[in-house]
Amino acid sequence: MCSLALFPPPLPSGQTTLCESNNELLPGTSTDDRLKQDSSPLSLYFPREFLKLHSRSESNSGSKAAFLDHSETLWMRSAAAWRDRGFTGLLNEIINSDKEVPKWLSVSSGCILALLQRVSSFHSSLFPHLTLSCEDMITEFSQVLNWSDCVVRAFAWHPHTDKFAVALLDDSIKIYNPKSVTTPTLKHRLQRSVAAVQWKPLCASALAVACQNCLLVWHVDPCSLSTRPSSGCAQVLSHAGHSPVTFIAWSPSGSFLVSASPVDTSMMVWDVAAESCVPLQRVGGGGVTFLSWSPDGSRVLASTPSALFRVWETKMWTCERWPSVKGRCQSGCWSPDGSRLLFTVQGESVIYVLTFTDTQGLVGIPASTSTGPQMATVVADLSETTFNTPDGDIIVGGEIQSLAWDPRGERLAVLLKGDLQEAGRPAVIAVFKTKNSPIFELLPCGFVQGEPSAEPRLMQFHPNFQHGALLTVCWSTGRITHVPFYFLSAGIPRFGLGGSLSLPPALEKPDDFANQSLFTELIS
Amino acid sequence: MFSTQQSCWFTRKVICWRAAASNAWAVLLLPPITAVFLITSRFSLFRPIQTISECLSLLTSASAIFCFILLCGVILMSGFLNLEYYTVIPNIACSKIALLGQLLHPRQFVSFLVHSIMGIIVAWCCAITIGDRYETLAYPCTQSDGSSRMCLNEFHVVLVLAGGFVGFSHSLLSVIYNINYVSFSAVQQYKYLRFKGSLSLVVKCSASQALYSIRNYIVVYFFLGHIPKAWMCKTLNLHLSSSAHPLDSITGLLDLYLLYHLWISATFLLFIWYITLLLFRIFITEAYSFPVQSTFTEDSQQCLPKVLPEKQPVVLKFLALQDLALLSQHSPSRRSEVFSLSQPGGHAHNWNAISKECLALLNELTQRLVAHHDTVATNGRAKSLSTGSERRTSSETSVTSEDLMSPRPTVLTKTPASVFARSIVGGQQSPLTAPFTPDLDSPFASPALRRLTAPVEQCSPWHGTVQSPHVMRRGPKLWSTSTDSQVNGSPTASPGLVPSPKQESAKPSFLAQFLHNRKEQVKQFLAKRVLIMYLFNKLPEASSQALFADSQAHIWALEGLSYLVQASFSEDQFGVVQTTLPSILSSMLFLQEAVDRYFKLPHASSKPSRSTIGMGDSSYKTLRFALRATLKTALYRITTTFGDHLKAVQMSADHRKRLQQFLEYKE
């Protein structure tokens, strides 16, 4: 079992992780790091102050009351209440204006309202997350650490080229491409509270955005010189009861888009071009929070707000239920061949693995049920560990916010939540070296750290980095940095035109796995 | 030809069984549906237990069993109609008059009639099961003078007629909303799960449609209710009770219980139809796995490479293409059979047959689009010189006339739905699937034009009845009033007995030329009339949809080809795919060019309005967008897989340039 105690200690304050080379993470002081970063075209900095934050017009009944003309007739007010707040709003309006309505009506509506509240409180006692507000819900279930406070709320590399999309706190999305001078800014009336963005695979232009009330699919022409594509370039996909959308995932073949909402028990499979969707509903769970499509496209992980997650196979769309003991599945990622699923559970500080043996597609057997493993095994224990550093003790470990596995399956980044309030317990990214074949192995690599005050919020691996793996980290300061891991890949060469970043190839030498203790399937 | 034989085995072994299974399930679901209906219709809040016990005793009574048998008959009948009328290529009316033509088609007429009768039967069963005041047609009543006579029970009449009306309006709406169109779901699911997923939609649809139908019915009954009432009294020698309130009055129709019972009965009626339809759709579109190659020669006709080029039942072709798309994505073992060589001889027969058919499909679509573009372009030029205002109205006319003037038989046979032309025309299954290609199907289509296409249809004994009938009827109407009797007479004729087209197609060509000139004059005269313009004005959205009506086949062909090519990079041991790669790429790029050009036309890229909730499947409306997206993804799939290796593939400079765009992700 891999544990944090085997990791090299964190860097002293003021130093940041530059890159991995020759099998170790190289530190750099923040000043020369800054210089280096700023010269790189892909490193970005979004100071919080520069973002024009529009005042959010929440449907706040308090502010409403200040403007509402109370001399309106009961009919008008009831109609307005019905339109704005639905049935309960109508009942409330009737109860509040009890002087104007007959007594039996106000009494009966009071009874109905009480009954409704009982029912809804019972319902939400089953699924407590339903009482959360929209923003809180996204914050709760997002893969981004402390989403509501983030300057960079979502980030997505294009799967084939070097461009990426960044969703900012002001609900705009910017697209950066090192080969182009224009950075299109996408804004749309419905684009609010962006929880996730993802580029469509096998396509140059389509970008799916998970918003508060709907899904948007932008078609940004890569050759266009326009910096503000009109909202006509966006397709709006919405389905009643399917909001807020907290996660989206394109199938690796680019044919489907799956979306998840914690309030909707069904997961939507969208045929984006036809704008049609197929809801896949199963009893239990109370919603879908996180989705992850295996790189070979054969399975989808879908976690729910309760202690249960599902693994769908995508041929006939059947699912396996995986009840977990402690909490909901917080994050997960697939190995490149789609045979292994690593996941973490809320409230625990361990990483589990599920291994799938593929029996599908054998001689003419139509849609054999995916034969999964019987049990998940623990592969890494990330419980809190104290490191003695010159700056004092630093406690690292605890709950895991998100996982990311590089496309070759050689580096695994784990974003540890830490404790935001307490000093000395920062959120850090722990990076493991992994090996997938012939047996699964996990061994420590190191911590990725940023500037002293910055904590990592969001991370993603570049989908086709030539010289190893490239981890992009979005920090709480609004800075986006890229940490390259230079190594010689032992895995299968990747086809296609990988974009190559203009980063210096370091001395490459094969990893020696002669480290002390490591997780392998043989030992466990 | 074995095409007939082929269609026989597939229809006999698969389609019929699937239809029968769906009907059997619908019949099995009938008892619970009836029980739910009974409980909801008789439920009283104050005596719940008594209601339930009453319902239980009623369910086991003789009359209930008789009703049940009748309902089973209705389900079987509607299942038969589903099988007879279903189509996998939507029947899109390009103008108002075409829609009218569809509605007045004799086959539709039969459908209206049968549905109305079924509605009446179901409503009668509802009246029996609800009981109470609805149960009998006549009841003894005492007149004002004290004598006792049999009076007409108007509640019974209202309920039974409501059934007939709902049945009629259902079949009317089914034409307008293309309810007979069966679309294939992109997401494969097991039948039970698909059924479970759509059940709530069916309930919602039937309840809401019942509400609208009953609203319309009440209006109709309010104004016309006295006619059936008087007729029944006269024929059955019944009397109108003077004490009872007449129901075709405002106070009579405002009886809430009556409205509720009407609505619940209509919902029940629509629900059993929709359930039957839903089950039929689910069963018919279930993926069918064709063997790629067979060791036995007698089965060889059923193998995928042999089945794919078949045109006979369109559904067979669609299922084969779907199977191809699925196998290329999901099953390596079947892919390896596609890439395998024949045992003696070492030819890649499987791959060659499959790729040839897919490429033929793509090329056919390319040609169709190019021809469409040409006609639109030439049309625009020609008309803009003369009268600009009339341009839109008569666009289709000049299309056909130009086609006539410049003999382009190749284009003609290829352009409008040539792949499916024969199958549709000859198909006993789906005579209504006549493709509404915008060009051929103009209301002004002349007999001569039809004569040009006639040889294609000659082989079919059905060609007279089934070639889109409104063309037949509308054609003569516009340039000779002498055939008008035929027009008016034809709707009442039974579907098998429409004789007119055959005679027309035998007319000599000089007559056609004459008629053509006449037609031009008549057309110019008519184009000035507002109503005519309204009727004949081509709906741009509908003609776009019609152009891509069968594009689901192309989408599967593109997916199948691209996935197979992608898999061939690592799985194709003998390099069979390499030999066809240049032609695949050039076909796709040609199609890409044609699609791009098409989407630059006005109206092409505007999104159709999303349909409201209904059982009519509107997925055909967005097929062109789906095709465009699939085409691009397919090209990217190939370029991403092969990367720079594609530079070694032989192709024209234009295509190389285009492909380079794809390689650089700039499309």
Side-chain angles (χ1 to χ4, degrees), chain B residues 81-384:
Chain B
L81 285 182
N82 285 338
L83 178 63
E84 195 63 24
Y85 281 69
Y86 85 100
T87 149
V88 288
I89 301 173
N91 202 0
I92 298 162
C94 292
S95 59
K96 293 270 191 283
I97 196 77
L99 187 64
L100 205 63
Q102 279 183 11
L103 288 175
L104 295 178
H105 184 264
R107 272 180 68 90
Q108 284 312 323
F109 207 73
V110 171
S111 159
F112 292 159
L113 201 68
V114 175
H115 273 106
S116 304
I117 293 170
M118 287 198 294
I120 287 173
I121 293 172
V122 174
W124 184 79
C125 292
C126 290
I128 299 291
T129 45
I130 296 173
D132 202 14
R133 53 183 181 177
Y134 303 101
E135 197 158 356
T136 53
L137 182 62
Y139 68 104
C141 58
T142 45
Q143 291 297 93
S144 51
D145 56 352
S147 60
S148 174
R149 285 192 292 190
M150 292 303 275
C151 292
L152 183 72
N153 182 4
E154 206 183 339
F155 287 102
H156 186 86
V157 175
V158 167
L159 192 60
V160 169
L161 285 182
F165 183 84
V166 171
F168 174 76
S169 64
H170 165 76
S171 54
L172 196 73
L173 287 177
S174 73
V175 179
I176 295 171
Y177 294 123
N178 257 321
I179 255 180
N180 293 316
Y181 167 59
V182 175
S183 76
F184 289 79
S185 171
V187 174
Q188 297 293 312
Q189 284 186 81
Y190 287 109
K191 292 196 285 282
Y192 165 68
L193 295 170
R194 276 190 70 187
F195 178 74
K196 204 179 76 177
S198 329
L199 199 59
S200 62
L201 179 74
V202 172
V203 174
K204 225 187 295 175
C205 284
S206 44
S208 62
Q209 202 194 317
L211 204 63
Y212 289 119
S213 303
I214 289 300
R215 181 198 63 189
N216 298 345
Y217 171 69
I218 285 170
V219 173
V220 171
Y221 191 81
F222 178 71
F223 288 109
L224 302 173
H226 60 277
I227 301 173
K229 226 162 55 174
W231 180 74
M232 277 191 190
C233 285
K234 216 170 106 187
T235 47
L236 298 174
N237 199 16
L238 293 172
H239 300 271
L240 284 176
S241 168
S242 53
S243 57
H245 212 78
L247 282 182
D248 52 345
S249 62
I250 291 178
T251 45
L253 282 174
L254 275 181
D255 180 350
L256 275 184
Y257 256 109
L258 175 70
L259 294 184
Y260 174 69
H261 282 137
L262 284 177
W263 174 67
I264 203 96
S265 311
T267 309
F268 175 67
L269 167 65
L270 289 173
F271 188 73
I272 57 174
W273 277 340
Y274 284 153
I275 280 287
T276 321
L277 181 69
L278 174 71
L279 284 166
F280 179 78
R281 281 183 187 169
I282 290 174
F283 272 84
I284 225 74
T285 57
E286 193 195 359
Y288 184 86
S289 181
F290 294 90
V292 177
Q293 56 188 5
S294 163
T295 37
F296 305 106
T297 42
E298 57 264 34
D299 294 344
S300 68
Q301 289 308 315
Q302 304 178 9
C303 290
L304 195 58
K306 288 280 189 301
V307 164
L308 266 185
E310 287 303 328
K311 287 162 186 172
Q312 196 52 293
V314 189
V315 68
L316 171 63
K317 191 180 187 81
F318 270 58
L319 283 172
L321 281 165
Q322 188 191 31
D323 188 41
L324 174 71
L326 289 177
L327 88 87
S328 64
Q329 279 176 63
H330 294 297
S331 85
S333 59
R334 294 178 71 199
R335 279 200 300 257
S336 72
E337 285 182 60
V338 172
F339 298 139
S340 69
L341 301 181
S342 66
Q343 206 36 274
H347 296 284
H349 288 308
N350 293 336
W351 166 252
N352 286 342
I354 288 172
S355 61
K356 190 177 146 208
E357 176 56 28
C358 290
L359 289 180
L361 270 176
L362 299 186
N363 293 340
E364 174 267 328
L365 181 65
T366 312
Q367 267 156 357
R368 192 195 303 175
L369 290 179
V370 167
H372 175 81
H373 199 271
D374 286 354
T375 49
V376 168
T378 49
N379 191 31
R381 274 200 301 277
K383 278 291 155 184
S384 59

Side-chain angles (χ1 to χ4, degrees), chain A residues 305-366:
Chain A
S306 41
L308 167 78
F309 67 93
R310 297 193 176 86
V311 179
W312 293 83
E313 65 69 38
T314 58
K315 197 176 170 193
M316 290 304 281
W317 290 98
T318 53
C319 65
E320 291 172 12
R321 280 167 63 97
W322 281 91
S324 57
V325 185
K326 209 148 179 206
R328 63 160 208 267
C329 172
Q330 166 65 30
S331 180
C333 58
W334 293 87
S335 65
D337 58 349
S339 65
R340 276 190 194 82
L341 168 66
L342 297 185
F343 68 94
T344 64
V345 169
Q346 197 192 30
E348 287 186 50
S349 52
V350 291
I351 302 176
Y352 292 95
V353 69
L354 283 176
T355 312
F356 293 87
T357 45
D358 207 3
T359 57
Q360 288 174 44
L362 282 185
V363 199
I365 306 169

Side-chain angles (χ1 to χ4, degrees), chain A residues 160 253 316-317 361 367 497, chain B residues 187-188 190 333 563 637 663 665:
Chain A
H160 309 287
S253 63
M316 290 304 281
W317 290 98
L497 288 185
Chain B
V187 174
Q188 297 293 312
Y190 287 109
S333 59
Y563 276 112
R637 190 169 289 135
L663 283 167
Y665 292 94

Side-chain angles (χ1 to χ4, degrees), chain A residues 33-75:
Chain A
D33 172 38
R34 178 82 57 84
L35 282 174
K36 194 177 160 75
Q37 292 285 352
D38 288 344
S39 62
S40 162
L42 288 175
S43 294
L44 298 168
Y45 181 42
F46 300 102
R48 192 175 291 257
E49 304 78 47
F50 289 176
L51 291 178
K52 271 187 282 177
L53 294 184
H54 53 78
S55 54
R56 276 156 206 287
S57 58
E58 295 295 330
S59 58
N60 194 338
S61 59
S63 66
K64 260 270 154 64
F67 291 102
L68 198 66
D69 188 6
H70 275 273
S71 63
E72 276 182 279
T73 62
L74 178 67
W75 270 113

Side-chain angles (χ1 to χ4, degrees), chain B residues 382-455:
Chain B
K383 278 291 155 184
S384 59
L385 289 176
S386 53
T387 46
S389 61
E390 295 165 16
R391 188 174 134 193
R392 292 281 304 287
T393 329
S394 46
S395 65
E396 59 272 64
T397 321
S398 51
V399 170
T400 51
S401 60
E402 273 160 20
D403 282 348
L404 262 184
M405 302 292 248
S406 57
R408 295 191 306 194
T410 48
V411 176
L412 261 180
T413 44
K414 274 175 194 161
T415 320
S418 70
V419 200
F420 296 113
R422 187 189 302 180
S423 58
I424 292 150
V425 167
Q428 202 167 346
Q429 288 302 327
S430 46
L432 270 182
T433 55
F436 272 106
T437 51
D439 302 339
L440 237 197
D441 188 39
S442 91
F444 301 95
S446 74
L449 183 63
R450 240 173 288 126
R451 201 181 48 79
L452 275 176
T453 51

